[in-house]
Amino acid sequence: MSKTIPYKIYLSEEEMPTTWYNLRADMKNKPAPLLNPQTLKPMSEKELEAVFCAELVKQELDNDTREFEIPREILDFYKMYRPAPLVRAYCLEEALKTPAKIYYKFEGNNTSGSHKLNSAIAQAYYAKNQGLKGVTTETGAGQWGTALSMACAFLGLDCKVYMVKISYEQKPFRREVMRTYGASVTPSPSRETEVGRRILDAHPGTNGSLGCAISEAVEKAVGTEGYRYVLGSVLNQVLLHQSVIGTETKIAMDKYGIHPDVIIGCAGGGSNLGGLIAPFMGEKLRGEADYRFVAVEPASCPSLTRGRFAYDFCDTGMVCPLAKMYTLGSDFIPSPNHAGGLRYHGMSPVLSQLYHDGYMEAVSYPQTDVFEAAERFARTEGILPAPESSHAIKAALDEAERCRETGEEKTILFGLTGTGYFDMYAYESFHDGKMTDFVPTDEDIEKSLSKLPKVEG
Amino acid sequence: MSKTIPYKIYLSEEEMPTTWYNLRADMKNKPAPLLNPQTLKPMSEKELEAVFCAELVKQELDNDTREFEIPREILDFYKMYRPAPLVRAYCLEEALKTPAKIYYKFEGNNTSGSHKLNSAIAQAYYAKNQGLKGVTTETGAGQWGTALSMACAFLGLDCKVYMVKISYEQKPFRREVMRTYGASVTPSPSRETEVGRRILDAHPGTNGSLGCAISEAVEKAVGTEGYRYVLGSVLNQVLLHQSVIGTETKIAMDKYGIHPDVIIGCAGGGSNLGGLIAPFMGEKLRGEADYRFVAVEPASCPSLTRGRFAYDFCDTGMVCPLAKMYTLGSDFIPSPNHAGGLRYHGMSPVLSQLYHDGYMEAVSYPQTDVFEAAERFARTEGILPAPESSHAIKAALDEAERCRETGEEKTILFGLTGTGYFDMYAYESFHDGKMTDFVPTDEDIEKSLSKLPKVEG
């Protein structure tokens, strides 16, 4: 029977989703509102519009509309790199000698190398539609910046990326991909912004940080006519756009009568996990079906497994709104883990609320275990996974190996968010036995949590 | 009408080809036989079997069998990364405002980043099937080595790659990908082989060369029990395996009633072009249909456009058999063009014969023109192309722009062989305006051609 399911399921254009699913509509406990960092009052639509595009603010604040129609132009762009294949991991199952059935949704078949493009094109589209000239953003390792550059190139929109200085210098490849797509890439801190100049004057030799790059990008957007700031994860709007991952997956699974018992995704800011689980979680919330959901995070940055559910700043510079989420404290500095995309102190408010309400589990792994899983996966399934994605692989392998012991024929689904082509230094350190694991102590975490802002709620 | 054709056509598993098509069966003038470098007599099956796997030698020598059944194990491996999509370049057409219809077959959606995997798995399979322990090969930039490592990892076969020393040191990324797949990668020249030691003693500081790496790989294979040598291009067997590209393309085009007027591919050793055009060329040879075929090569290494059709050594070390082909002389040292995969002095004997007999055209472009085309393509179609593939893009853009002028609604098909993720230094030099073009003088070419071996035929 099972061999009647192809190795890879590609939806036809007619089968592809035409709406984004808004998980918040089915949540009894809605995610808490963003707060103004000055007044600590909920951000109004108007306040948010100074930073974000108007249409995106509407999506951010709308906890009720269940389906959002995807504009035709975005659907056309999606057709350039979607559908993403749902892969039946026959080779991995055989290698593991597990009775489990393993599926993964592979989002790496595009030049940004990850799922980030799904939201980048949406955000760029609404910016263009509003008549804006351009958008600003920050990037660390560069996945989000690359995705945004591609979307902006397609729409003829200016794209200004503040890239953490040390990445700009030590990881020139993604910088060059962004330049190929016409983005202007500035090492941060720069002298282009007040906050950048202030930091440079105080710390002339600084390597920069994501927090500083965010502050520069926001300052530039707010201070430049015709520009807005865009962000690649955490926000409700981003999870909305990323629901296309889960909806495509569910259509493919329904077509072949597949019911996943457990759904696994890596979680940094939560955009991939939130997107992958959305329609399945919706069914669970509505009592129509049951699934287990597992968020996987690095042991070095364990916001769900060891953080606190509280209001906190989204950035280290404390210029962005506050969100109620699982957080390690905006002051928390994760060790230099190679999964750059998971080095975030907080977690999407939607996912945080669901986790808090008991709808989801979370686990964490040290990175050497993760790279070992990555290599096993690469050798059997061919795809070279990103370090971020490999967290989900590790959890899926563990689950499949438990099935081997118990004999359970579980169906496992995980999100393979991207490829590791730009992470070969990390693989090299793993091959050479030089990779180390850093797990923060309770004191480390308590220390940064002690500085959480005092907010009711 | 045309919009009824999807952006991307993926064959279903049932539609995928199950045979390789042997173009030689339909050629009136067969490609000339390989010659023994010592005796200058045609290589016998037995002689070839000292270097290559027995089954591959049969494929190499068989000019008559039209279809070869693809073994089940290879079909299963193909399912892991194939079908490759046939893409209708709607966005590019719109950007160019051309009445031409542009299609490309995209072979980059796998970790090797190119079409090379199609032959790597076949060669590894026959080696495994013969009961061998492992295979040896050489690699320059690393595409072929990566593909072979993936195939060997899958089959549990040992893989020994000699990588040109300067690439090993300056381009560590593909080296690490190969190590991820368990290959042993040795910088060449090494002290592991006689030829390596000889060269190291004579030139202690040498950077290595492809010619030397080939010689080391062949020596190692011939001198080690249970090992054979494998090669990623030029050979008849490789073109046979790569016919899967063209056959998949033709099935997809036939399904939608599309007839390409012109078919374009980049040409280094010829494996991609030979594979892409195979079934179309077959129809042309049998007088069933007509197509134009265009081979695109770098101006810095113009074997078809400026070389001679003659017997020549396949390697600079002169240890491999001689082939009758368009060649610039095995002594020819191409300038450091960024399209490493096209820096080969010769051309597949099959393609050489077809070009000689007037069935195919050839053009060449300087690399700055090629990178300009690459960037335009990336910005409209999203995919970041490999420098090699971008040669075909450049020719396709030129053809489409001619259509804009003449108003012709031609259907253009080109092969997009791979992605450029590991070529960002090249893109950087292009962005920074530091890329130069080097075109050999007539004297350069005459000089290396003057050293061609004296062989009848």
Side-chain angles (χ1 to χ4, degrees):
Chain A
M1 163 65 198
S2 74
K3 281 281 178 185
T4 61
I5 291 168
Y7 276 57
K8 290 184 293 178
I9 306 174
Y10 284 106
L11 300 183
S12 70
E13 283 186 6
E14 295 71 40
E15 293 168 323
M16 282 168 69
T18 56
T19 56
W20 289 309
Y21 165 60
N22 183 10
L23 183 53
R24 287 166 282 160
D26 285 311
M27 290 169 70
K28 252 175 259 163
N29 299 324
K30 308 291 183 190
L34 298 171
L35 300 187
N36 182 309
Q38 263 94 51
T39 65
L40 300 184
K41 296 264 160 62
M43 294 280 285
S44 69
E45 194 167 330
K46 207 168 166 62
E47 284 174 323
L48 284 166
E49 283 180 8
V51 181
F52 300 109
C53 304
E55 200 62 30
L56 292 166
V57 170
K58 281 200 185 67
Q59 296 179 354
E60 189 65 29
L61 297 174
D62 189 334
N63 288 339
D64 304 308
T65 307
R66 186 174 273 150
E67 306 275 343
F68 283 78
E69 199 135 326
I70 307 176
R72 169 60 44 196
E73 291 83 348
I74 299 177
L75 286 176
D76 281 349
F77 187 88
Y78 279 172
K79 284 180 193 165
M80 280 172 55
Y81 71 100
R82 306 196 70 81
L86 176 67
V87 185
R88 170 71 183 267
Y90 282 120
C91 300
L92 188 61
E93 291 171 18
E94 206 180 301
L96 294 173
K97 302 192 193 319
T98 177
K101 295 167 188 67
I102 309 174
Y103 293 86
Y104 55 91
K105 180 71 167 175
F106 180 42
E107 290 286 327
N109 270 351
N110 71 73
T111 298
S112 81
S114 82
H115 65 292
K116 295 275 180 185
L117 199 50
N118 301 329
S119 184
I121 183 61
Q123 297 192 49
Y125 168 78
Y126 290 115
K128 179 82 181 176
N129 224 27
Q130 191 172 328
L132 297 178
K133 284 187 219 147
V135 290
T136 72
T137 201
E138 75 292 332
T139 202
Q143 285 102 325
W144 167 246
T146 307
L148 190 67
S149 309
M150 290 175 66
C152 287
F154 186 75
L155 296 169
L157 204 63
D158 190 37
C159 180
K160 180 123 196 79
V161 181
Y162 291 89
M163 186 171 189
V164 177
K165 195 176 177 187
I166 189 151
S167 297
Y168 182 93
E169 286 167 359
Q170 295 189 347
K171 299 181 176 179
F173 300 109
R174 282 204 193 265
R175 176 189 81 206
E176 290 308 320
V177 179
M178 289 185 260
R179 290 177 75 198
T180 301
Y181 288 93
S184 98
V185 187
T186 306
S188 167
S190 75
R191 303 207 72 85
E192 288 182 6
T193 64
E194 250 189 70
V195 61
R197 288 188 292 271
R198 205 165 58 226
I199 293 173
L200 277 175
D201 291 343
H203 313 277
T206 180
N207 284 329
S209 72
L210 205 54
C212 167
I214 294 179
S215 304
E216 287 205 88
V218 171
E219 181 187 322
K220 185 76 180 180
V222 172
T224 313
E225 179 70 27
Y227 280 72
R228 288 296 184 282
Y229 169 71
V230 296
L231 182 64
S233 192
V234 183
L235 297 175
N236 297 339
Q237 59 185 271
V238 178
L239 264 72
L240 175 70
H241 307 145
Q242 295 295 357
S243 71
V244 70
I245 303 172
T247 307
E248 258 188 21
T249 304
K250 191 152 192 320
I251 292 170
M253 290 198 135
D254 286 350
K255 186 173 168 181
Y256 286 91
I258 306 159
H259 177 94
D261 297 298
V262 50
I263 303 175
I264 299 167
C266 63
S271 72
N272 147 68
L273 180 65
L276 174 67
I277 68 174
F280 301 97
M281 181 63 86
E283 287 192 337
K284 180 161 176 159
L285 292 173
R286 296 191 303 272
E288 296 166 7
D290 198 21
Y291 307 95
R292 274 179 61 214
F293 300 99
V294 183
V296 192
E297 46 186 28
S300 58
C301 194
S303 52
L304 286 172
T305 46
R306 297 177 66 195
R308 189 177 299 164
F309 189 45
Y311 264 110
D312 194 8
F313 290 95
C314 290
D315 61 325
T316 29
M318 303 185 184
V319 300
C320 291
L322 284 77
K324 189 173 179 190
M325 57 186 177
Y326 277 85
T327 178
L328 295 160
S330 67
D331 210 37
F332 181 80
I333 303 197
S335 73
N337 181 290
H338 289 291
L342 304 183
R343 293 183 63 209
Y344 185 64
H345 68 277
M347 180 59 64
S348 136
V350 168
L351 293 183
S352 292
Q353 188 66 50
L354 290 166
Y355 180 64
H356 185 71
D357 291 344
Y359 289 104
M360 199 168 75
E361 307 160 32
V363 292
S364 74
Y365 291 106
Q367 65 178 349
T368 47
D369 290 1
V370 166
F371 273 83
E372 194 178 38
E375 193 166 274
R376 282 172 77 188
F377 180 81
R379 292 184 184 185
T380 44
E381 287 288 316
I383 296 168
L384 184 80
E388 291 83 358
S389 325
S390 303
H391 285 73
I393 293 174
K394 169 64 180 158
L397 290 182
D398 279 5
E399 191 77 33
E401 290 185 331
R402 274 191 295 272
C403 288
R404 184 178 59 209
E405 279 151 37
T406 63
E408 285 174 289
E409 296 185 16
K410 277 189 195 167
T411 297
I412 300 167
L413 165 66
F414 71 91
L416 188 69
T417 52
T419 48
Y421 304 132
F422 292 101
D423 300 289
M424 294 321 296
Y425 282 129
Y427 275 93
E428 182 177 20
S429 96
F430 175 70
H431 296 145
D432 292 344
K434 291 181 183 160
M435 185 176 279
T436 52
D437 291 316
F438 177 84
V439 180
T441 63
D442 289 342
E443 290 70 37
D444 291 336
I445 293 176
E446 272 315 311
K447 194 177 154 204
S448 62
L449 284 179
S450 70
K451 297 183 196 157
L452 284 182
K454 306 277 172 276
V455 184
E456 294 293 311
Chain B
M1 163 65 197
S2 76
K3 280 281 178 186
T4 61
I5 292 168
Y7 276 57
K8 288 184 293 179
I9 306 174
Y10 284 106
L11 300 183
S12 70
E13 283 187 5
E14 296 71 39
E15 292 168 324
M16 282 168 69
T18 57
T19 56
W20 290 308
Y21 165 60
N22 182 11
L23 183 53
R24 286 166 283 160
D26 285 311
M27 289 170 70
K28 250 175 260 164
N29 300 325
K30 308 291 183 190
L34 298 172
L35 301 187
N36 182 308
Q38 264 94 50
T39 64
L40 299 185
K41 296 262 158 64
M43 294 281 284
S44 70
E45 194 167 331
K46 207 168 167 62
E47 283 174 323
L48 284 166
E49 283 180 8
V51 181
F52 300 108
C53 303
E55 200 61 32
L56 292 166
V57 169
K58 281 201 184 68
Q59 296 178 354
E60 188 65 29
L61 296 175
D62 189 334
N63 287 339
D64 303 309
T65 307
R66 186 174 273 150
E67 306 275 343
F68 283 79
E69 200 135 325
I70 307 176
R72 170 58 46 195
E73 291 84 347
I74 298 177
L75 286 176
D76 280 349
F77 188 88
Y78 279 172
K79 284 180 193 165
M80 282 173 54
Y81 72 100
R82 309 196 68 81
L86 175 68
V87 185
R88 171 71 184 268
Y90 283 119
C91 300
L92 188 62
E93 291 171 18
E94 206 180 302
L96 294 173
K97 302 192 194 316
T98 177
K101 295 167 188 67
I102 308 175
Y103 293 86
Y104 56 92
K105 180 71 166 173
F106 180 43
E107 290 286 326
N109 270 351
N110 71 73
T111 298
S112 81
S114 81
H115 65 291
K116 295 275 179 185
L117 199 50
N118 301 328
S119 185
I121 183 60
Q123 297 192 48
Y125 168 79
Y126 290 115
K128 179 82 181 176
N129 224 27
Q130 191 173 328
L132 298 178
K133 284 187 217 147
V135 290
T136 72
T137 200
E138 76 292 332
T139 201
Q143 286 102 326
W144 167 246
T146 308
L148 190 66
S149 310
M150 291 175 66
C152 288
F154 186 75
L155 296 170
L157 205 62
D158 190 37
C159 180
K160 180 123 197 79
V161 181
Y162 290 89
M163 185 170 190
V164 177
K165 194 174 178 187
I166 189 151
S167 298
Y168 183 93
E169 286 167 358
Q170 295 189 347
K171 299 180 174 179
F173 301 109
R174 282 204 193 266
R175 177 188 80 204
E176 290 308 320
V177 180
M178 289 185 261
R179 289 178 75 198
T180 302
Y181 288 94
S184 99
V185 187
T186 306
S188 167
S190 74
R191 302 207 72 85
E192 289 182 5
T193 64
E194 251 189 69
V195 60
R197 289 189 291 272
R198 205 164 59 225
I199 292 173
L200 277 176
D201 291 343
H203 313 276
T206 179
N207 283 329
S209 72
L210 206 55
C212 167
I214 293 179
S215 305
E216 286 204 90
V218 171
E219 180 186 323
K220 186 77 179 180
V222 171
T224 313
E225 179 70 27
Y227 279 71
R228 289 295 184 282
Y229 169 71
V230 296
L231 182 64
S233 191
V234 183
L235 296 174
N236 297 339
Q237 60 187 269
V238 178
L239 263 73
L240 175 70
H241 307 146
Q242 294 295 358
S243 70
V244 70
I245 304 172
T247 306
E248 259 189 19
T249 305
K250 190 151 193 321
I251 293 171
M253 290 197 135
D254 285 350
K255 186 174 167 181
Y256 286 91
I258 305 159
H259 178 96
D261 297 298
V262 51
I263 303 175
I264 299 167
C266 63
S271 73
N272 148 68
L273 180 66
L276 175 67
I277 69 174
F280 301 97
M281 180 63 87
E283 287 192 336
K284 181 161 175 159
L285 292 173
R286 297 191 303 270
E288 295 166 9
D290 198 22
Y291 307 94
R292 274 180 60 213
F293 300 99
V294 183
V296 192
E297 46 186 26
S300 58
C301 193
S303 51
L304 286 172
T305 46
R306 296 176 66 194
R308 188 177 300 164
F309 189 47
Y311 263 111
D312 194 8
F313 290 96
C314 290
D315 60 325
T316 29
M318 303 186 185
V319 299
C320 291
L322 283 77
K324 190 173 178 189
M325 57 186 177
Y326 277 85
T327 179
L328 295 160
S330 66
D331 210 38
F332 181 79
I333 303 196
S335 73
N337 181 291
H338 288 291
L342 305 183
R343 292 182 64 208
Y344 185 64
H345 68 277
M347 179 60 62
S348 136
V350 168
L351 292 182
S352 292
Q353 187 67 51
L354 290 166
Y355 180 64
H356 185 71
D357 292 345
Y359 289 104
M360 199 169 74
E361 308 160 30
V363 291
S364 75
Y365 291 105
Q367 66 178 348
T368 47
D369 289 1
V370 166
F371 273 84
E372 194 178 38
E375 193 166 275
R376 283 172 77 187
F377 180 82
R379 292 185 185 185
T380 44
E381 287 288 316
I383 296 168
L384 184 79
E388 291 83 358
S389 325
S390 303
H391 285 73
I393 294 174
K394 170 64 180 158
L397 289 182
D398 280 4
E399 191 77 33
E401 289 186 331
R402 274 192 294 272
C403 287
R404 185 178 59 210
E405 278 152 37
T406 62
E408 286 174 288
E409 296 184 17
K410 277 188 196 168
T411 296
I412 300 167
L413 165 66
F414 71 91
L416 189 69
T417 51
T419 49
Y421 304 133
F422 293 101
D423 299 289
M424 294 320 296
Y425 282 129
Y427 275 93
E428 182 178 19
S429 97
F430 174 69
H431 296 145
D432 292 344
K434 291 181 183 159
M435 185 176 280
T436 52
D437 291 316
F438 176 83
V439 180
T441 63
D442 289 341
E443 289 71 36
D444 291 336
I445 294 176
E446 272 314 311
K447 195 177 152 202
S448 61
L449 285 179
S450 70
K451 296 182 196 158
L452 283 182
K454 305 279 171 276
V455 184
E456 293 294 311

